[in-house]
Amino acid sequence: MGRLLNLVTPLHQQTKRDYLARMNDDKVACMLKAKEYGFDYWDGDRRYGYGGYKYIPGRWTPVAEKLIEIYGLTQGSSVLDIGCGKGFLLRELRELLPGIQLTGFDISTVALEEATLHATEAFYWPAENYYRFHDKSFDLVISLATLHNLRLFQLPTALAEIERVGKQAYVMLESYRNERELFNLQCWALTCESFFDEAEWSWLYERFGYTGDYEFIYFE
């Protein structure tokens, strides 16, 4: 595997969460609605997801700056974002490097309506399918908070494709280090299918041949 990074964790830790309230709020119905990845997930009530996922200027700038620094991105670089959502990180990358080539895909048509404004190309595609790109098509492939939404048998293809199409790679997902964080994650998560601790994820990365960088976010 590559390096364990700390890019998104500071941003993740800025949000306060009431874990028990979410668990007790008709959780199964909220999970089913969230997994539609429609309006309710992004901009509906907080019980279904983000509770209004709007662009906040500068919010993703520190992450974009670190990606540029760590991976040596320039005006001529190309980046693929797997599970790009509304493309706000891509927007910040473009603000810093106007000439960069940005491609993203997602399974949310609602999110893609926004993402198409910020990426060179944004389109519908499941992360677990084979990607249409040639080997090493991108200088960097990133995936933030997406792969944990896949089931175990879907992960080998997703990780292999990330490895195949990217010269460099960075994956961030939800995990846990102890029973408290597992409980909090199970309370909070609406779309997560793969609940693994950091040791299990590391084992899976090695098992499936993923050699890129990675990060875990925790629900403390």
Side-chain angles (χ1 to χ4, degrees), residues 174-189:
E174 299 170 352
S175 185
Y176 63 94
R177 296 165 293 191
N178 52 56
E179 296 303 315
R180 171 58 63 183
E181 290 177 355
L182 171 60
F183 175 80
N184 290 342
L185 173 58
Q186 291 174 328
C187 286
W188 191 256

Side-chain angles (χ1 to χ4, degrees), residues 65-213:
E65 290 175 338
K66 290 177 182 177
L67 289 174
I68 291 170
E69 177 185 358
I70 292 171
Y71 297 106
L73 301 179
T74 67
Q75 298 283 0
S77 296
S78 58
V79 176
L80 172 63
D81 187 351
I82 296 169
C84 64
K86 291 191 176 185
F88 295 155
L89 176 55
L90 298 180
R91 176 169 176 168
E92 295 294 348
L93 284 170
R94 173 147 289 159
E95 291 287 334
L96 296 168
L97 295 173
I100 195 170
Q101 295 296 303
L102 301 170
T103 302
F105 64 74
D106 204 282
I107 60 170
S108 171
T109 56
V110 170
L112 287 169
E113 291 177 3
E114 177 85 16
T116 54
L117 304 176
H118 311 309
T120 309
E121 180 185 17
F123 58 94
Y124 177 92
W125 197 259
E128 67 271 22
N129 286 3
Y130 293 103
Y131 306 160
R132 67 188 196 191
F133 307 107
H134 296 300
D135 295 358
K136 307 307 177 187
S137 294
F138 297 93
D139 296 303
L140 175 64
V141 177
I142 61 175
S143 181
L144 279 64
T146 295
L147 294 193
H148 55 246
N149 294 328
L150 303 183
R151 299 171 71 183
L152 179 58
F153 63 82
Q154 297 172 318
L155 288 169
T157 298
L159 288 167
E161 288 296 275
I162 291 172
E163 190 80 10
R164 181 182 67 81
V165 304
K167 299 173 185 175
Q168 304 177 93
Y170 160 73
V171 169
M172 180 276 288
L173 46 72
E174 299 170 352
S175 185
Y176 63 94
R177 296 165 293 191
N178 52 56
E179 296 303 315
R180 171 58 63 183
E181 290 177 355
L182 171 60
F183 175 80
N184 290 342
L185 173 58
Q186 291 174 328
C187 286
W188 191 256
L190 295 167
T191 58
C192 183
E193 297 284 355
S194 294
F195 292 88
F196 300 128
D197 68 20
E198 56 183 8
E200 290 168 322
W201 276 115
S202 297
W203 184 88
L204 288 171
Y205 287 156
E206 293 185 1
R207 181 80 171 181
F208 298 148
Y210 176 69
T211 62
D213 297 331

